[in-house]
Amino acid sequence: MSIIINSGEARAFAYEALRKVRSGDYQEAEINALLDKANDAIGQAHETQTAILHKEASGESILVSILFVHAQDHLMTSISEKNLIIEMIEMTKMIHTLADKLTKGGNDHD
């Protein structure tokens, strides 16, 4: 469950950062803090996953349950979404910058 919980938190922090940028809130420190929290949560999920993998690598028999498969899916999805959200944040900033330039440029001709 730790993998699922931390993966969900990571995704929530990343989406919160994206929502802030989409609304025009560009406070870099706050955005970076949210992305740092997402990275920390992914790190905690990854540590749990690694501990399980180490047990199996050392010869301990690990029962692979549907819950564990589900947890792995959550972790993989959270990592992928966080990486895409970082790109989307940069693209959104560029779009807002261009839109501001167009708006200001349009007012210069009036």
Side-chain angles (χ1 to χ4, degrees):
M1 287 304 297
S2 174
I3 295 171
I4 294 171
I5 291 167
N6 284 302
S7 296
E9 285 183 355
R11 215 166 46 242
F13 286 129
Y15 275 107
E16 185 178 346
L18 178 59
R19 276 190 298 279
K20 286 188 174 295
V21 170
R22 287 183 61 209
S23 71
D25 185 356
Y26 294 120
Q27 295 179 0
E28 286 294 324
E30 188 173 351
I31 301 304
N32 289 336
L34 287 167
L35 293 174
D36 286 346
K37 287 179 180 180
N39 284 329
D40 289 345
I42 285 172
Q44 289 176 10
H46 193 260
E47 284 177 21
T48 302
Q49 175 194 45
T50 300
I52 294 167
L53 295 174
H54 279 222
K55 285 181 180 181
E56 186 171 20
S58 68
E60 185 176 330
S61 180
I62 301 295
L63 176 65
V64 178
S65 67
I66 295 298
L67 186 60
F68 183 69
V69 172
H70 182 65
Q72 294 295 102
D73 184 47
H74 267 275
L75 179 56
M76 179 193 67
T77 301
S78 294
I79 291 168
S80 294
E81 286 185 34
K82 183 203 56 114
N83 291 337
L84 286 171
I85 286 169
I86 289 170
E87 294 301 319
M88 291 172 69
I89 286 171
E90 293 306 312
M91 290 170 45
T92 301
K93 288 178 181 179
M94 289 173 54
I95 290 167
H96 282 173
T97 299
L98 291 172
D100 287 346
K101 286 182 181 180
L102 287 173
T103 302
K104 289 176 184 174
N107 291 335
D108 290 343
H109 298 292
D110 291 337

